[in-house]
Amino acid sequence: MAIVVRTLEDLPPIDEERMKKLSEMKDEDIDLSDMPALTQEQLARFMPARLLNRGIYRPVKVPMKMNYDADVLEWFRSFGKGYQTRMNAALREYMLTHCRERK
């Protein structure tokens, strides 16, 4: 079977008529032949793309006041400018590790 590659420019525009037709379509009428079901092993390793594709994903920053232990904050500050970014990276690494462990 040949692999078909599409870009956004290849897709027809979505108008109201097309959206209505799609919304009325039943799940069993959708052709999934080119999309095999994932195995349990693949599902266990699943990670949202936004967590894996850091180069193209820009998370939304949320301002928040937090209290840190003085020694932890001083240790991150000791590396100089960018300590908040490094703290965020450390928290993200912890989150990703525990996302994998939880599954």
Side-chain angles (χ1 to χ4, degrees):
M1 173 185 260
I3 296 175
V4 178
V5 178
R6 299 275 185 219
T7 64
L8 289 176
E9 291 77 31
D10 296 335
L11 298 174
I14 299 180
D15 54 20
E16 286 186 35
E17 181 182 332
R18 184 167 168 78
M19 283 302 293
K20 184 175 187 238
K21 185 177 177 182
L22 288 171
S23 66
E24 292 172 351
M25 185 181 282
K26 295 179 183 172
D27 288 349
E28 51 271 5
D29 295 335
I30 299 172
D31 177 17
L32 301 175
S33 62
D34 63 341
M35 191 174 77
L38 296 175
T39 66
Q40 288 301 316
E41 182 182 322
Q42 289 170 318
L43 289 171
R45 291 190 324 238
F46 174 77
M47 175 102 22
R50 71 181 191 285
L51 299 179
L52 296 175
N53 300 317
R54 301 291 304 139
I56 59 174
Y57 173 70
R58 297 284 304 188
V60 175
K61 301 290 185 186
V62 178
M64 184 176 158
K65 182 182 183 327
M66 291 183 67
N67 296 318
Y68 298 100
D69 292 341
D71 58 335
V72 172
L73 183 58
E74 193 55 41
W75 184 80
F76 275 97
R77 281 183 172 167
S78 72
F79 293 99
K81 187 176 178 180
Y83 73 92
Q84 290 174 318
T85 301
R86 283 190 292 280
M87 290 174 80
N88 190 66
L91 287 169
R92 180 169 300 284
E93 184 177 327
Y94 181 89
M95 176 189 74
L96 292 174
T97 301
H98 286 77
C99 281
R100 290 185 192 113
E101 288 175 0
R102 186 180 286 180
K103 295 178 182 187

